[in-house]
Amino acid sequence: MNIQFLERGFFQRVFGIPATPKPQAPDGWTYADGKLTIDLKKAKELKKPGGALRFEGGNLPERVLVVFGKDKKYRAYQNRCTHIGHRRLDPVPGTGTVQCCSISKSTYDADGNNIYGPAPGPVATYPVELKGNQLTLTLS
Ligand code: FES
């Protein structure tokens, strides 16, 4: 696979600043009983193919990246590169991959397998279920 890199500035890479935003509406998601539930009416970034959001903080036990692919499938990843810096991930448009926001750019395929860079292993992915405007991720 030909690896492509997300265009990011040097300092963005050094400081590990991800390109993917957090949801604008803080009340657009909840976490309970191992499930992250997202109201897509309030998470408009996840309605257009190629969109992504990162979920973190609150009572979430781990950071989560959700990507709506060009194939109109939702995919969810633990948002923690497996390389030692454990930085966040971003989707690389048009490739189906996600990539660490750090200098080393570890890259993972759509299934979370590490395919480039120093990451020693895959990132966890989570089952996703769509019902109407509600997206539910099972984290545990
Ligand atoms: S933390 Fe991701 S490549 Fe180093």
Side-chain angles (χ1 to χ4, degrees):
M1 178 186 268
N2 188 19
I3 304 298
Q4 293 181 35
F5 301 112
L6 192 62
E7 210 166 291
R8 303 291 288 155
F10 176 74
F11 287 106
Q12 289 170 322
R13 292 252 177 227
V14 166
F15 293 112
I17 300 168
T20 305
K22 292 182 187 176
Q24 285 186 350
D27 62 342
W29 62 274
T30 56
Y31 175 76
D33 300 326
K35 292 186 188 295
L36 169 61
T37 304
I38 301 165
D39 180 353
L40 293 176
K41 291 194 298 289
K42 295 183 176 176
K44 299 202 184 312
E45 295 89 339
L46 291 178
K47 291 209 119 173
K48 70 179 176 202
L53 282 174
R54 60 186 164 104
F55 297 84
E56 53 193 67
N59 66 341
L60 255 187
E62 56 208 48
R63 301 186 307 238
V64 177
L65 173 70
V66 180
V67 179
F68 186 40
K70 296 264 188 226
D71 57 2
K72 301 201 173 169
K73 284 189 180 158
Y74 287 98
R75 293 183 177 84
Y77 307 83
Q78 183 176 25
N79 199 359
R80 187 176 193 270
C81 180
T82 59
H83 186 224
I84 195 160
H86 303 306
R87 297 242 166 124
R88 292 171 177 82
L89 307 172
D90 292 309
V92 182
T95 67
T97 64
V98 294
Q99 189 165 80
C100 181
C101 62
S102 78
I103 292 276
S104 299
K105 303 175 192 156
S106 285
T107 304
Y108 305 84
D109 69 13
D111 298 320
N113 301 303
N114 48 317
I115 55 173
Y116 174 86
V123 285
T125 58
Y126 305 111
V128 174
E129 189 183 356
L130 179 64
K131 273 193 192 150
N133 275 309
Q134 184 173 296
L135 191 66
T136 303
L137 283 54
T138 303
L139 304 192
S140 60

